[in-house]
Amino acid sequence: MTFTEITPSATIEDARHGGRAKCLQRLIRLDMPVPRTVALSFDAVHRISTGDMPDLDAMLALFGPDPLVSVRPSSEDPDWGGPGAILNIGMNDAVHAKLISTHGEVAANALYLRFIQAYAVHVGRLDPDEFETFSIATDDALRAALDLYEEETESYFPQDPKEQLAEILRSMARAWEGTTARLLRQAKGAPADAGLGLVVQKMALGVGQNTCGSGVIKFVDGRTGHRKIRGRYLCKSQGRDALAEEGDRDVMYLTKDSRGRSIEEVLPENFANLVKFGDLCRTRLREEMEIEFTIDNEELFILDAVRVQRSERANVRIAVSLANDGIISREDAVLRIPPRALSELLHSQFDPTDKRDRFGLGIAASPGAATGKIVFNARAAQAAAAKGDDCILVRSETSPEDIRGMHAARGILTVRGGITSHAAVIARGLGLPCVVGAQDLMIDEKQRKLATRDGRSFTEGDVISIDGSTGEAYAGAVTMLSPELGIAFQTLMEWADDFRDIGVRANADTPPDARNARMFAAEGIGLCRTEHMFIDDDRLLAMREMVFADHADDRRAALDRLLPMQRADFTELFEIMQGLPVCIRLFDPPLHEFLPHGREGLRELAEALDLPLRDVERRVAGLREFNPMLGMRGVRLGITVPEIYDMQARAIFEATVEASKRGDPVVPEVMIPLVSAKREVEIVKARVDAVAAEVRIETGADFTYRLGVMVETPRAALRAGEIAQHAAFLSFGTNDLTQMTYGLSRDDAGRFMGEYVSQGVYEEDPFHTLDTDGVGELLQIGAARGRDVDRDLTLSICGEHGGNPESIRFCRDAGFDYVSCSPFRVPVARLAAAHLALEDYVRKDLATD
Ligand code: PEP
Ligand code: MG
């Protein structure tokens, strides 16, 4: 059979006839008044495109004499699109004459004219604009449209319904096979060989007198997810006309409304049935559906139903409400929300309906949307914030000096840098929208100007907007939708936690970060980058004194000033995280990052340190390294300038004693960065143990702590076996590990990454998506060698990949205990982890069936 009438028992499958055909069958099974419908399979439609028509005589015979039908696309996933619906196939002079007697001249003209227009455009490929001119359905317009068709095609308008239908099916089938349509649907995730089904349905006319018409109704607000009747009904209309914004001609409200008549009042029986069908869709199709219907002489016809289009926040509310009402399971509700979609709930978004003027594109480094005045340095950002002005910090790239400005800004835009650059990492921690590596922009920080390659320019104070989820920058302000963490979100996350089997911690450096980590229910802090605590003005100076000290004693004196501040930092973190583990990484960056860059900064420093400018310059020059990221940083500082780690260890342990007095005992985790040799761990461990012993004696309090190693050099991964002998945990720092595995600077890769990905050299930016082949193999080797030595060794990942659903899959498969990511990505990670556990469960269930 080349076509199948859709009946309750017919064999109709999503994968052969498409989602619309299958949905129509479900509506028919639920006894909804669906006009007679026929489905053409993917295979049949493909054959039509090659000229092999089904038996159209037999098909049309199903629709009686003078058939009038519509054809609609039915792809496997409705999001993949397809050709537009064509209505009123079968209209010809004879049917037109009959309709004049039954429905009046205006209605008959309107139907015929509409069909001529659709046929001319879709089959005859004529210019739509020329046919647009016939907007009023007079007899003259009808004649003129037919004349135009004949003139342009040099043939009569076909009168035979079979010929009309054949041509329409052929044009739809061919449109689907065209290159543009294929590329468009592939962009939406359709496979290259995705098929198109078609449904041919008897028309319910809806153009008669008085209340006849068509409309759409849904029972939920697609923006918020709240249950509410929404939709439109237009008298004397067809298809989805009611949704076209063409004034309010002959509109009827769906529910009682003081502004005019409503279906609820005028056609109460039809209304009651619509509500009943909506409920049936919800309970039996287990989804909120938008129903397309026609009322013809007070008789209701259901033509189609599609899943309500919705925002991500509405999607969450709908899924939770369906599960709360027992219609779907909690597992199903959790699986219905794509983890990445949570971003929309957690951050501000631009209103998708707003117009935008894009001037730049970079790497989407931290999600969310922000609007504000341009500022070009941290000081200006702080000044703007003090005045209550929203600002966007625009820099070539950021450095630790900019942190306070970053805190003050609404968003960050940089010209250089990649996904793990300083700006990106800090912004993600703060939950600030950030776009990095917008290379087509040129900044003149001195002149305070931002220019584009095509000649546009902006100065300080101009308002711009950035979208950290897409990497786009726009001129002017864009309307914003606020984030929403309502009850539905919390409920969904609690359900997700019930299912997942890998831990999720947060990377949090400051008390506000830690509060966010708690708000998003992280199970602890997986990485506290302590260097971010030295940025405040008073600390920075002590830090600089320490850097400038020539002798260990001077260095210790400067560090003594930092000790109480660090102790207070850690006490506060322990108190906020009460009862949850906190992993503190010892100092990591090269010291020169704490020194000023410009001449003015050096002069101010000379003044503060009471040193000649020349000395300061000499010292700064002495600290300069050709390759600072591979130089004197991390544990190398810990070995060569041990006073810094001593001070930090003391601050951690004194804070442990302090916080344990007021709450649960704290068990701090101390992590050594950038390790590449076992001996480094031995040396640092001996000193940290000694500091712990001192603090125990001095305070008379007992405590324990766990010492761990950050695996972020390839050698540490390869030698994980011997390193694990001295460590309670290994945490993989995949930012540096990726940098060192590829030999690729994480700060400079943005320059060519776009080109590399577009040419397919790398499938993805490896700083963004974990390279499971190369870096991943090192993770597996490290994990296996570590666990060989100690079966209880805790394994985790704390690089930026930790919040990435694909990386979480990899880490879970490799037997990791937890992932750690920026606080704002914690919910995404929790949900992604739940998906993995549920998918595994379903797979195992299928395997035992
Ligand atoms: C890493 O290298 O993966 C890491 C987490 O440390 P940082 O980004 O601070 O170098
Ligand atoms: Mg690192």
Side-chain angles (χ1 to χ4, degrees), residues 710-714 716-718 720 730-738 741 770-787 793 795-799 801-802 806-816 818-819:
M710 204 163 166
V711 179
E712 46 186 350
T713 65
L718 296 170
L730 298 183
S731 187
F732 290 83
T734 45
N735 302 335
D736 273 309
L737 193 55
T738 301
T741 305
L770 183 70
D771 157 43
T772 48
D773 298 337
V775 179
E777 189 172 358
L778 283 170
L779 256 58
Q780 280 164 334
I781 291 172
R785 293 186 182 171
R787 281 260 167 89
L793 183 72
L795 295 175
S796 63
I797 175 175
C798 63
H801 305 90
E806 293 78 33
S807 320
I808 298 172
R809 178 189 299 276
F810 185 87
C811 294
R812 183 174 173 270
D813 290 347
F816 280 37
Y818 70 86
V819 298

Side-chain angles (χ1 to χ4, degrees), residues 439 550 700:
Q439 294 180 61
D550 284 325

Side-chain angles (χ1 to χ4, degrees), residues 543-600:
M543 192 65 195
R544 287 171 173 173
E545 275 177 26
M546 193 275 292
V547 175
F548 273 77
D550 284 325
H551 305 289
D553 284 349
D554 297 341
R555 205 171 291 135
R556 218 168 271 127
L559 286 165
D560 279 349
R561 281 177 46 214
L562 288 169
L563 173 68
M565 303 180 205
Q566 278 269 269
R567 185 173 51 230
D569 292 332
F570 296 140
T571 310
E572 197 175 353
L573 277 191
F574 293 147
E575 283 177 351
I576 295 170
M577 297 310 290
Q578 264 290 332
L580 296 176
V582 176
C583 177
I584 296 167
R585 177 178 79 183
L586 299 173
F587 194 85
D588 180 47
L591 291 180
H592 77 88
E593 283 198 8
F594 290 85
L595 300 178
H597 296 299
R599 208 176 154 71
E600 180 61 12

